């Protein structure tokens, strides 16, 4: 259970609702499932300015929700994994 | 994630045990070693770390991209663990690489800094270079970001120049810098927000950010003394209750976010700060940590003035 109060997509209004809509559809496309927003973003739902940053970050990383921007001599997703690994990130 | 790259399940297990000895390409091993420093002791990184990647065929543009990806993932890691949110359905990485992993507890915990400190600025780039990686051609994205920075700050930070080769990340960096200018909740004071930024940059021993975080605190009475106090050894009793709650949480989030528990959030409520202030501090730590490690890992040369909106700082 989250440590703090979160605002769900169903409860969201304004920019928060816009960003939930973008994120849920982007991840639904990525995972080929119904629209869904990963839990990591909901941490910031009580402060929409930060939630917007999370959505923007996703846009930057995925080319506005299209696909992961790949390239380079090695799968870049391993960099993501490595950060989580050395951070002992449970999430 | 690992099975998508390594078809052999045993390889994934060996990576979790120790990437340095796993049967994976040398470039992958070098990346893991580089990211280990990025996460845990970015202030110890030197031009030799960049050269080690170049020697294996990783060009400067790709190194810059790795650093940016690591910056964004730093934010997500802290927000995920710090928020205490549930794992998404089908998620398996956490139990494999998270806090209960035996090999992790044997090698140390999170950020390899028990208290704030300073870094030898001589380790930063010299000879007119703004960073250890060679910046490439400009682009319309970079020019737009540079114009924005000139309008807002009166100059273009070296951090922008350093990542010129991956200009699409500048949108992310601009958003982070804007958010870091002030608190976003009603109960976290501007002074406390500035203290958090200075503490985090002190923990990351980021010479690049120090110019900004010091200037931010100098806007308050006894600003220099406050800066010295928050970037020195951590002494909880030296702070009043509200500051202590905020700063102790910031320390935990910056050092090992996986240790955050619901009791930390309750501490904010008990102190009258509330969930919004908790989220504000967590985001500030995550954003500041990402930028600090980005600057440290690329050896970005300090700017000669703080990255503060012109109306906040009279040069």
């Amino acid at each position: 259970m989250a440590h703090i109060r979160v605002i769900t997509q169903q409860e969201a209004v304004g920019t928060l609702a816009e960003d939930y809509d973008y994120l849920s559809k982007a991840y639904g496309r990525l995972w080929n499932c119904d629209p869904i927003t990963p839990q990591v973003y909901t941490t910031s739902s009580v402060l929409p300015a930060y939630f917007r940053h999370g959505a923007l970050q996703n846009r930057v990383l995925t080319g506005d929700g299209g696909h992961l921007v790949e390239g380079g001599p090695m799968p870049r997703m391993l960099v993501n994994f490595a950060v989580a690994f050395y951070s002992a990130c449970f999430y | 994630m690992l099975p998508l790259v390594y078809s052999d399940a045993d390889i994934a297990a060996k990576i979790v045990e120790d990437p340095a000895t796993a049967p994976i390409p040398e470039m992958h091993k070098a990346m893991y070693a580089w990211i280990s420093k990025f996460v845990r002791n970015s202030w110890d990184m030197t031009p030799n770390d960049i050269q080690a990647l170049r020697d294996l065929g990783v060009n400067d543009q790709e190194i810059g991209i790795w650093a940016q990806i690591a910056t964004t993932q730093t934010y997500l890691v802290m927000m995920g663990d710090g928020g205490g949110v549930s794992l998404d359905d089908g998620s398996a990485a956490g139990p494999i690489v998270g806090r209960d992993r035996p090999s992790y507890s044997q090698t140390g915990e999170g950020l390899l800094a028990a208290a704030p400190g300073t870094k030898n600025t001589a380790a930063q780039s010299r000879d007119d270079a703004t960073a250890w990686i060679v910046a490439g051609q400009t682009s319309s994205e970079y020019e737009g970001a540079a114009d924005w920075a000139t309008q807002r700050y009166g100059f273009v930070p070296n951090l922008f120049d350093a990542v010129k080769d991956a200009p699409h990340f500048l949108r992310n960096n601009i958003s982070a810098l804007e958010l870091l200018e002030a608190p976003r909740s009603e109960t976290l004071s501007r002074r406390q927000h500035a203290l958090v930024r200075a503490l985090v940059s002190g923990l990351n021993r980021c010479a690049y950010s120090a110019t900004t975080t010091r200037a931010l605190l100098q806007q308050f009475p006894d600003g220099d003394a406050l800066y010295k106090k928050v970037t020195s050894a951590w002494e909880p009793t030296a702070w009043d209750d509200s500051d202590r709650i905020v700063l102790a949480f910031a320390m935990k989030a910056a050092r090992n976010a996986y240790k955050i528990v619901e009791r930390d959030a309750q501490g904010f409520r008990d102190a009258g700060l509330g969930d919004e202030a908790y989220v504000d501090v967590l985001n500030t730590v995550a954003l500041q940590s990402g930028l600090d490690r980005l600057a440290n890992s690329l050896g970005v040369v300090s700017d000669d003035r703080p990255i503060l909106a012109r109306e906040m700082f009279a040069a």
Side-chain angles (χ1 to χ4, degrees):
Chain A
M1 188 173 127
H3 297 327
I4 36 76
R5 180 174 63 90
V6 298
I7 300 174
T8 65
Q9 185 166 8
Q10 290 69 35
E11 298 166 332
V13 296
T15 61
L16 187 62
E18 290 171 17
D19 294 327
Y20 257 122
D21 185 64
Y22 162 75
L23 282 168
S24 61
K25 287 176 179 173
Y27 277 95
R29 281 193 297 273
L30 182 66
W31 293 336
N32 194 28
C33 65
D34 289 337
I36 182 169
T37 301
Q39 298 279 22
V40 66
Y41 296 99
T42 63
T43 297
S44 295
S45 56
V46 293
L47 291 177
Y50 289 124
F51 194 96
R52 170 137 290 189
H53 177 78
L56 172 65
Q57 186 166 273
N58 178 271
R59 288 181 184 277
V60 168
L61 286 172
T62 66
D64 288 315
H67 56 83
L68 286 174
V69 182
E70 274 302 332
M74 184 201 78
R76 291 176 182 156
M77 68 173 73
L78 290 180
V79 175
N80 298 85
F81 168 75
V83 173
F85 178 71
Y86 288 111
S87 303
C89 175
F90 184 75
Y91 174 79
Chain B
M1 193 180 283
L2 288 184
L4 294 176
V5 178
Y6 308 113
S7 56
D8 187 338
D10 285 343
I11 292 178
K14 288 185 167 62
I15 288 172
V16 172
E17 189 177 309
D18 184 2
T21 58
I24 54 177
E26 289 302 310
M27 184 184 290
H28 294 208
K29 291 184 183 181
M31 180 279 295
Y32 285 116
W34 195 72
I35 293 296
S36 171
K37 282 189 173 180
F38 183 100
V39 170
R40 307 182 68 186
N41 54 326
S42 60
W43 57 89
D44 285 334
M45 296 173 96
T46 71
N48 290 339
D49 295 298
I50 299 286
Q51 192 57 46
L53 297 178
R54 289 184 184 129
D55 291 344
L56 288 168
V58 188
N59 62 30
D60 282 15
Q61 181 185 35
E62 190 66 17
I63 292 170
I65 290 173
W66 286 6
Q68 291 274 213
I69 291 174
T71 300
T72 58
Q73 190 66 30
T74 294
Y75 176 79
L76 290 173
V77 159
M78 290 185 177
M79 297 313 300
D81 276 355
V85 291
S86 307
L87 293 179
D88 299 303
D89 288 343
S91 176
I96 295 172
V97 308
R99 57 179 176 262
D100 298 325
R101 184 170 100 245
S103 59
Y104 191 83
S105 62
Q106 290 168 13
T107 57
E109 299 181 341
L111 195 71
L112 295 176
T118 55
K119 173 184 173 179
N120 177 8
T121 56
Q124 290 182 312
S125 301
R126 297 288 193 202
D127 303 327
D128 296 328
T130 53
W132 295 327
I133 58 174
V134 178
Q137 310 260 333
T138 62
S139 61
S140 57
E141 284 175 291
Y142 171 79
E143 293 298 336
D147 285 344
W148 176 88
T150 302
Q151 290 284 326
R152 192 169 190 88
Y153 306 128
F155 74 105
V156 182
N158 285 336
L159 188 65
F160 282 36
D161 256 6
V163 297
K164 192 183 287 187
D165 265 339
H168 57 290
F169 281 103
L170 283 168
R171 284 195 291 163
N172 192 66
N173 296 342
I174 286 172
S175 173
L177 287 169
E178 282 188 295
L179 287 168
L180 281 169
E181 286 178 0
R184 304 292 153 176
S185 57
E186 293 181 2
T187 49
L188 187 71
S189 70
R190 292 182 74 96
R191 174 182 162 282
Q192 287 173 327
H193 176 265
L195 284 170
V196 168
R197 289 195 63 186
L199 172 66
V200 172
S201 284
L203 283 168
N204 288 313
R205 286 134 172 80
C206 183
Y208 184 78
S209 295
T211 309
T212 299
T213 57
R214 181 191 294 268
L216 202 54
L217 272 175
Q218 284 172 336
Q219 296 177 55
F220 300 96
D222 299 324
D224 283 326
L226 270 179
Y227 182 80
K228 186 176 179 181
K229 183 179 174 183
V230 81
T231 56
S232 301
W234 169 241
E235 292 180 27
T237 57
W239 302 93
D240 68 27
D241 288 348
S242 182
D243 286 349
R244 183 170 53 250
I245 292 285
V246 166
L247 294 175
F249 177 69
M251 280 275 287
K252 185 184 271 193
R255 295 185 61 218
N256 20 50
Y258 64 90
K259 289 188 175 182
I260 291 172
V261 292
E262 199 279 333
R263 187 170 60 245
D264 294 298
Q266 190 57 46
F268 272 67
R269 296 179 198 116
D270 293 343
L273 291 163
D275 286 2
E276 284 81 0
Y278 178 99
V279 173
D280 208 348
V281 174
L282 184 61
N283 268 277
T284 300
V285 171
L287 292 170
Q288 188 66 59
S289 291
L291 291 179
D292 288 344
R293 295 174 191 182
L294 179 64
N296 281 348
S297 66
L298 299 181
V300 183
V301 175
S302 296
D303 300 301
D304 60 4
R305 68 191 95 168
I307 306 176
L308 293 175
R310 284 197 274 194
E311 62 266 24
M312 292 174 66
F313 177 75

